[in-house]
Amino acid sequence: MTTTADRSATAGPGAAGPGAPAPRLRRPATLTDAFLRDLVARVPGSGGQTWDLAEVYTGETLVQLPQSTAADIERAFAAARSAQQEWASWPLRKRLKVFKKAHSLLVDNAQTTADLIQAESGKNRRMAIEETCDPVMVISHYLKRAPKLLKPVTRGGPVPVVSSSTEIRQPKGVVGIIAPWNFPFATGLSDAIPALMAGNAIVLKPDNKTALSPLHGIALLERAGLPKGLFQVVCGEGPDVGPTLIDNANYVMFTGSTATGRVIGERAGRNLIGCCLELGGKNPMIVLDDVDPDEWVAGALFGVFGNTGQICMHIERIYLPESRYDELKARFVAAAESLRIGAAYDFGPELGSLISVDHMQRVHSHVQDAVAKGATIVTGGNPRPDIGPAFFEPTVLEGVTGDMLTGCTETFGPVVALHEYRTVDQAVALANDTDYGLNASVWGADLDRAVGVARRIHAGNVNVNDSLATAYASKGTPSGGVKQSGVGARHGDQGLLKYTDVQNLAVLKKQVMGARPGQDYDEYVKGMLTGLKMMRRTRIR
């Protein structure tokens, strides 16, 4: 570690202090003013407008982030498109060599990256370090898989021997990526890596609040040999930047809310370009009556409160069996109350800040709405300005119903509702009673039984005896949402192939695709039909 806080405000939610001022932190030594200015110098902003990018723990401005105009965005796409032509001409092995070097640089600079992630997002140190691992894992997977996926595949043509058809994967061109604030480094880089390997260029729009860590990651990629200009960054508010970005892109990758995803999908459709959308969730957890409480509590605690509840796949609804409800509730609540909340650049705090005061107020409003409509706060429920401007206690609710904000929409904070069920069929029905389908979790000692329940849940990701990490970290398997939780997927073969267009290169060695000059057509048709019957047995695939 480079440095720690002057005072680490680590305390459980029951600690006194909401009236006291937040402690002052010392910024990590890595985050010098010169270093931060060099990062944001990569962002075009010809209009002169800037955004105050703040340290979330304190609310103090770290740097002035340029805001890109429509003309800036168009120039970024032009530069990226120019660089992409040369990049796509490189042999695949030469492109992959860049990422072999990048893998080492990303690992070696993980501590500095984590400092940036913590400063701009307010998450605790564990989550920041784990976020730095994601692009490295993606690189490791696609270094092995890309040569096979991008290799031309020759198949038989319509007439055996004298014809062939070759599937060639061509890069789409320039991919526009709109990354969220909750995992800015991971999504900003990990979604770009397979696109770059496939021969594309990137124009990334990070969230204004969290632009520093992806900018640092791009600088590391360029140190590894990525051509300058190939990976562009533009910044601004979504409504200001998004339309121009989508109108100039050949493909769009978006992670964020369902409401914004609909707008992006509609515009991409009008432009006849593809898009991949990972959207919201209202993720359930079903706990079966044979669960091991020790293992479950630890896993559920991370599933609910990891990244202060700001994970697209985090758990917001827990269904407990009637026969063990009081026991499991008591264990979980006690564990939640023991979490250490704090603002520190070390591994002391287990729970960090929410992203902003505005978001904290939104989370608080969901809790207040639930209480006003009859729900009960079992623990937590309060902002913690004594720790930092956007901190909120880990909160457990009971009695949440569908007419409450936190009962039907994504709260996206350290808030979970406990529900009691009598039969597994009832639990499955309740878990599926949502417009969302991103992630779900099932816990039980009998794995066959738990897997059987998991298969009945309508979600793109379902974890058995884990909350979310196993599914997301399985880079060889596609990860995406169903229903209102998204379109398409990242990871797996699909996570790279979506950034390519398929060219069908067909070759006919001899002119046999029609009747010969002067040939009787009845005779030709008879021969053709006979050939079709034979083709079922002789066709080259």
Side-chain angles (χ1 to χ4, degrees):
M1 266 300 298
T2 54
T3 185
T4 60
D6 289 339
R7 192 151 57 99
S8 179
T10 54
R24 184 173 181 81
L25 297 181
R26 186 170 70 250
R27 187 191 303 176
T30 53
L31 307 187
T32 65
D33 291 341
F35 175 60
L36 299 179
R37 285 196 300 269
D38 285 345
L39 290 179
V40 300
R42 305 175 66 92
V43 180
S46 62
Q49 294 183 334
T50 60
W51 168 279
D52 291 342
L53 198 157
E55 180 187 37
V56 175
Y57 290 147
T58 64
E60 297 176 356
T61 298
L62 284 171
V63 70
Q64 299 286 323
L65 180 69
Q67 300 292 276
S68 305
T69 66
D72 292 329
I73 299 167
E74 290 174 350
R75 283 192 289 269
F77 270 94
R81 210 169 294 283
S82 176
Q84 187 267 337
Q85 294 178 14
E86 179 182 355
W87 173 251
S89 72
W90 287 17
L92 177 59
R93 64 180 180 277
K94 183 178 179 181
R95 295 202 299 265
L96 295 184
K97 187 177 180 181
V98 171
F99 290 96
K100 291 178 182 178
K101 294 180 181 178
H103 187 282
S104 297
L105 284 172
L106 290 169
V107 172
D108 293 344
N109 287 272
Q111 297 288 355
T112 298
T113 304
D115 290 341
L116 286 167
I117 292 170
Q118 282 197 274
E120 65 186 358
S121 72
K123 64 183 62 180
N124 70 328
R125 189 73 179 179
R126 172 190 167 179
M127 287 305 307
I129 287 291
E130 289 186 3
E131 182 174 350
T132 70
C133 299
D134 193 73
V136 175
M137 293 171 67
V138 170
I139 289 174
S140 293
H141 172 72
Y142 286 116
L143 281 175
K144 301 180 184 75
R145 194 69 183 143
K148 182 174 182 179
L149 294 177
L150 298 175
K151 183 179 179 180
V153 180
T154 300
R155 299 182 174 88
V159 181
V161 182
V162 298
S163 66
S164 66
S165 176
T166 302
E167 176 184 331
I168 298 175
R169 291 286 173 171
Q170 303 279 16
K172 284 188 173 291
V174 182
V175 175
I177 296 177
I178 303 174
W181 47 256
N182 60 329
F183 286 94
F185 184 77
T187 52
L189 266 66
S190 293
D191 287 333
I193 286 164
L196 289 166
M197 287 182 174
N200 296 284
I202 304 293
V203 175
L204 168 69
K205 191 207 88 66
D207 191 282
N208 273 336
K209 296 183 287 294
T210 53
L212 296 176
S213 60
L215 285 166
H216 176 56
I218 294 166
L220 293 176
L221 290 180
E222 290 182 352
R223 281 177 55 187
L226 194 75
K228 291 187 177 181
L230 189 69
F231 201 143
Q232 300 280 330
V233 178
V234 296
C235 290
E237 292 295 273
D240 299 329
V241 174
T244 306
L245 184 144
I246 297 168
D247 289 347
N248 283 273
N250 300 110
Y251 188 89
V252 176
M253 175 71 208
F254 170 74
T255 305
S257 72
T258 298
T260 303
R262 288 194 182 99
V263 174
I264 292 172
E266 181 181 354
R267 196 173 191 106
R270 288 202 304 268
N271 292 341
L272 296 179
I273 62 170
C275 63
C276 181
L277 311 171
E278 193 213 68
L279 308 178
K282 193 68 183 172
N283 307 309
M285 173 185 287
I286 295 176
V287 183
L288 300 177
D289 56 12
D290 63 345
V291 72
D292 180 328
D294 293 327
E295 290 192 2
W296 168 70
V297 167
L301 210 64
F302 178 78
V304 171
F305 301 118
N307 203 36
T308 321
Q310 299 167 122
I311 304 176
C312 298
M313 295 170 67
H314 97 114
I315 301 300
E316 296 201 0
R317 302 177 286 146
I318 298 180
Y319 298 95
L320 300 174
E322 181 183 49
S323 61
R324 300 185 66 183
Y325 183 85
D326 291 339
E327 170 206 355
L328 296 174
K329 167 190 166 182
R331 293 284 299 271
F332 181 76
V333 171
E337 290 177 342
S338 71
L339 288 172
R340 299 186 302 275
I341 314 172
Y345 289 95
D346 58 35
F347 290 100
E350 297 170 288
L351 201 72
S353 175
L354 291 169
I355 185 64
S356 67
V357 172
D358 286 347
H359 186 58
M360 182 274 291
Q361 291 172 342
R362 178 183 180 275
V363 171
H364 193 199
S365 73
H366 277 215
V367 174
Q368 291 174 314
D369 172 78
V371 172
K373 294 175 179 175
T376 301
I377 296 176
V378 181
T379 189
N382 298 305
R384 291 297 300 271
D386 56 308
I387 302 175
F391 279 79
F392 196 83
E393 293 175 339
T395 301
V396 180
L397 303 175
E398 282 184 314
V400 172
T401 56
D403 64 330
M404 303 170 185
L405 290 173
T406 196
C408 61
T409 61
E410 188 176 33
T411 300
F412 216 59
V415 179
V416 68
L418 302 183
H419 302 272
E420 187 174 343
Y421 72 85
R422 291 187 177 181
T423 68
V424 172
D425 287 346
Q426 180 192 21
V428 171
L430 290 169
N432 288 334
D433 186 19
T434 175
D435 292 334
Y436 298 104
L438 182 59
N439 182 52
S441 174
V442 178
W443 287 77
D446 184 335
L447 283 181
D448 289 340
R449 180 187 180 211
V451 168
V453 173
R455 288 179 178 273
R456 298 170 61 189
I457 297 178
H458 305 153
N461 303 275
V462 186
N463 296 264
V464 173
N465 290 343
D466 188 33
S467 292
L468 55 92
T470 300
Y472 194 83
S474 299
K475 302 305 184 186
T477 305
S479 174
V482 299
K483 298 193 283 190
Q484 300 299 307
S485 287
V487 176
R490 54 167 60 96
H491 305 160
D493 293 356
Q494 185 177 340
L496 186 149
L497 294 177
K498 70 186 180 187
Y499 295 123
T500 66
D501 288 322
V502 180
Q503 181 186 73
N504 182 347
L505 182 60
V507 175
L508 183 63
K509 300 176 183 177
K510 184 177 179 60
Q511 298 302 311
V512 294
M513 295 286 287
R516 298 188 303 275
Q519 183 181 11
D520 179 79
Y521 204 76
D522 286 335
E523 178 187 341
Y524 166 73
V525 170
K526 182 179 179 181
M528 179 182 68
L529 295 176
T530 300
L532 288 173
K533 292 179 180 179
M534 296 176 59
M535 190 178 295
R536 183 174 65 85
R537 297 188 295 271
T538 61
R539 183 176 177 84
I540 300 172
R541 298 189 181 276

